[in-house]
Amino acid sequence: SDVSVIIARTKRCGWPSMADAAWPSEAAFARGDEVQLTGLSKEHLNGARGVVTSYDAERDRFSVQLCGAGSAGRLAVRPLNLALA
C-alpha cells in the first residue's frame, strides 16, 4: 500500500511516517517522495536529499526533512528547487 511505501522511505532517515489522506491533488510532489535539493542560494544545501513531509499551498512550499548527519533539519522549499531523487 502507499502508506507502507512512505513508512519504508521515511524510516531510512530515522523518523516515522506521516501519512495524510488529505494531500492536495494539485501538488507537484507527494508526501513521502524522496527529493534532492537543487538551485538554492544556500549552495551548501544543493544536492542534499530528503523526504517531503508536508505542503503549504498558500506559500507554494514543500516541507522537506533532510536525511543524513549534519543536515539542516526541515526546510520549506519551492517546487522548482526540488527534483525526485
Side-chain angles (χ1 to χ4, degrees):
S1 77
D2 290 341
V3 173
S4 60
V5 170
I6 292 170
I7 290 169
R9 287 178 179 167
T10 57
K11 281 187 177 179
R12 281 187 239 156
C13 290
W15 19 264
S17 171
M18 297 186 204
D20 181 2
W23 190 264
S25 61
E26 72 278 2
F29 297 94
R31 181 182 302 271
D33 277 353
E34 293 181 51
V35 293
Q36 184 171 8
L37 305 180
T38 182
L40 296 171
S41 58
K42 295 181 179 180
E43 293 181 6
H44 67 282
L45 293 174
N46 290 324
R49 291 177 178 245
V51 175
V52 174
T53 59
S54 64
Y55 175 65
D56 182 344
E58 192 172 297
R59 295 179 54 222
D60 192 27
R61 300 284 192 278
F62 289 91
S63 181
V64 176
Q65 180 67 47
L66 299 180
C67 296
S71 70
R74 185 171 292 182
L75 300 174
V77 185
R78 294 182 299 173
L80 66 95
N81 296 117
L82 294 173
L84 286 174

